[in-house]
Amino acid sequence: MANTDIPPYKPGLLDRLFVKFFGVVNKLIPWHKLPGPIGALNLVALRVSLRENNLHSGYSSQTVQGNIVDDPLEDERFRHARNSDGKFNSLDKPLMGCSGMRFGRQFPRHHCRKPTEEELWTPNPRMISEKFMARKPQGFIPATTLNLLAAAWIQFQTHDWFNHEKSNQEFDIPLPPGDKWPHDHMKLPKTKPDDVLDPSDIETPGYKNENTAWWDGSQIYGSMEGVTHLLRTRDQDGKLALTKDGKLGSIIHGDTGIPATGFINNWWLGLELLHTLFVLEHNTICDMLRKAHPDWSGDKLFDTARLVNCALMAKIHTVEWTPAVLAHPALQIGMNANWWGLAGETLTKLLGRISKTSETISGIPGSGVDYFGAPYSLTEEFVSVYRMHSLIPDNVAFFNAASGEHHSTVPIEDMIFSDARKPFKAGLSLADSFYSFGINYAGAITNNNYPDFLRRLHTPDEQVRDLGTVDILRDRERGVPRYNQFRRLLGMTAPKTFEELTGGNKKLAQELREAYNDDIETVDTLVGSHSEPLPKGFGFSDTAFRIFIVMASNRLKSDRFFAQDWNAETYSKEGLHWVQHTTMKDILVRHCPELGRVLEKSKNVFAPWEKIPKSTKYGGVETNAM
């Protein structure tokens, strides 16, 4: 697909040499088996190759990205502030990344065509869910290096990034013979395709993102300016509205019983906690800015606090959450370098950017915008690899954050949608809840680890759905290639046998062979990714990681508020300092001081926390507590 406005990405000579050198090395040794520093350089080469080959627009033309004539910047406020609709992040292409724009693709669109009816239903997605998603009699498989806060965090982030438009038409999902589903059907709204703007859209439909594609905290601020206005206080303090006792819920969304916020789909206690925490953080940033700049207007306070809060989320995800999930030496180096550069955190805090433009030396923030040959958007494949429902356990064991005493063990099923606040009504505090999430395990991202309640989820539209089936069907519907083709298009090898796919696990290989009728080319990407052996320290597959490695940096490098306008004029001197010197631990302790002694020795809050002695005495498989 030709890009007429953004020039094709052309790696420099050193980058090309890196790609060729490590291409030869990786035929003998995979990147994750190299020593940490060399592996990190290998990742740089992989990212160059992925940027060159695996960023594609969802449109046939760039004209849809807007221009300064048809979409002028009429309010100068948004030259130095985020627009909730996502507009004007690019001043030249003001619609890029805004709500209502299409998802992009990681692969050329002709590889992502709409499936035939046979391809859509073969093999039966519900059967695949039953065989490879359902928890077996032994139950929950814990990820012993991650806590439940890590699971809540990624849903909190994905709610910022993407939400497909739904159609009025429905799938009537066929049930396999002998299925024990409690109803005679399972219905699911189809994804609504965008209008046909080009003949290629008939074979490969485009799908719109209702959220902004930018890393802009839209889950708490909203993806429309009108929504943001409703969520703010009526005072000129720049703050978001909370109840008198500092909780969400000064406004309730319709008749759902869920507090009004930027994005409330699939609401549960984990989202309630993190939404509350970052609304509190926004308001605290406003207080700090008001003290430093008493003459600022309410809008100026709000805009700057939002920039700081969004940058905090991006930084936490980059240098804290990701290294917890991908605990590999090369990733520790690589993710810190994304933010701080090879110069490192200490030197960057002390001296600022050493290199004006090099993201390698001084990190992406402040290095300048680059789209790498394609208009910025999140991609369908990015959505696909963030299907991580197996992170969720069946129950949560709650403890008192001060004494460590066990309070109760509650099924997560009893804390979803309008019931998300049940633990608070039972006497638990915000600190108690965070402490409990910190010492409960998340689930392993692997086969047969979807929580039972998500495979019979009663949704607010009065349907019952199996999210395992939904995950498989959504990828097929939206043209995400199957596992082997997905790997080929990423420049990876494709296994020729089921035994090769599973790393020699003969039992799993036979189960896959039977389910996919001995045709390895039809294995779904999600199932294949859950079945392949993981690199040491990895919480998810190397296949999914390839999408992550290119998009993790692209989300920062394409955003002018990170890559270009990372300065005191935009953020304020105080705001920049707040971002660079604040960690997730700082935020938790700021708003829940009771957690200070628990987190004193914690190096990463997304790893299991140290227990208070009385919590240690309590155990049991049924609680999922350590």
Side-chain angles (χ1 to χ4, degrees), residues 336 339-355 360-363 580-581:
N336 274 285
W339 195 269
W340 301 110
L342 295 178
E345 179 179 353
T346 302
L347 199 59
T348 302
K349 283 181 177 178
L350 184 66
L351 301 176
R353 292 190 64 84
I354 295 173
S355 170
T360 302
I361 295 173
S362 291
Q580 297 293 62
H581 290 79

Side-chain angles (χ1 to χ4, degrees), residues 402-562:
S403 68
E405 291 182 351
H406 177 248
H407 177 278
S408 56
T409 297
V410 183
I412 291 185
E413 188 172 15
D414 292 345
M415 299 180 288
I416 61 176
F417 304 125
S418 60
D419 291 328
R421 294 181 167 184
K422 271 190 174 181
F424 299 146
K425 294 176 182 178
L428 288 162
S429 68
L430 191 67
D432 296 334
S433 300
F434 272 118
Y435 172 64
S436 303
F437 271 54
I439 67 172
N440 277 258
Y441 285 141
I445 302 172
T446 187
N447 287 324
N448 300 115
N449 206 28
Y450 271 50
D452 291 338
F453 82 93
L454 288 183
R455 298 190 61 255
R456 47 170 171 71
L457 183 65
H458 294 256
T459 56
D461 62 358
E462 299 183 346
Q463 293 290 327
V464 186
R465 298 194 179 101
D466 167 16
L467 290 194
T469 299
V470 171
D471 282 352
I472 295 296
L473 185 57
R474 287 299 188 212
D475 277 358
R476 295 180 187 178
E477 176 195 22
R478 296 165 185 166
V480 174
R482 303 280 178 123
Y483 178 75
N484 265 7
Q485 179 69 341
F486 195 98
R487 286 177 60 93
R488 291 189 193 99
L489 293 169
L490 289 172
M492 304 176 77
T493 58
K496 295 181 175 61
T497 67
F498 289 97
E499 285 75 14
E500 184 182 349
L501 191 163
T502 63
N505 184 331
K506 293 183 179 180
K507 181 176 183 294
L508 176 57
Q510 184 58 30
E511 290 172 351
L512 289 168
R513 181 178 290 108
E514 291 172 359
Y516 286 94
N517 197 28
D518 202 24
D519 186 356
I520 197 168
E521 292 299 321
T522 64
V523 173
D524 292 283
T525 292
L526 182 62
V527 176
S529 294
H530 284 182
S531 301
E532 69 179 68
L534 303 183
K536 186 177 180 180
F538 264 46
F540 55 79
S541 70
D542 191 19
T543 301
F545 171 69
R546 301 305 172 103
I547 302 298
F548 168 82
I549 191 177
V550 64
M551 296 304 292
S553 57
N554 197 39
R555 284 175 290 160
L556 296 172
K557 190 67 175 168
S558 298
D559 189 325
R560 73 176 171 95
F561 291 106
F562 294 131

Side-chain angles (χ1 to χ4, degrees), residues 83-189:
N83 183 297
S84 294
D85 300 72
K87 294 176 68 174
F88 310 115
N89 194 303
S90 167
L91 298 174
D92 295 327
K93 300 171 183 60
L95 301 184
M96 185 190 298
C98 75
S99 54
M101 294 295 284
R102 286 183 186 177
F103 288 90
R105 305 297 317 207
Q106 234 75 56
F107 313 126
R109 292 180 69 216
H110 64 271
H111 288 295
C112 307
R113 60 177 179 78
K114 181 180 178 180
T116 65
E117 281 293 303
E118 182 178 0
E119 289 168 337
L120 185 66
W121 301 115
T122 306
N124 183 287
R126 166 67 178 170
M127 179 270 289
I128 295 298
S129 175
E130 286 280 86
K131 286 184 176 291
F132 300 108
M133 309 298 181
R135 283 184 175 152
K136 293 186 176 180
Q138 61 266 34
F140 173 66
I141 305 169
T144 56
T145 58
L146 291 177
N147 60 28
L148 186 52
L149 183 59
W153 175 268
I154 192 55
Q155 188 183 15
F156 178 61
Q157 290 303 298
T158 58
H159 280 195
D160 175 20
W161 300 334
F162 48 74
N163 185 40
H164 284 77
E165 284 191 327
K166 304 300 186 295
S167 169
N168 291 327
Q169 297 181 327
E170 289 185 317
F171 288 120
D172 193 348
I173 300 170
L175 301 177
D179 195 294
K180 296 180 181 179
W181 188 248
H183 305 278
D184 60 2
H185 65 270
M186 188 191 306
K187 293 189 179 294
L188 178 72

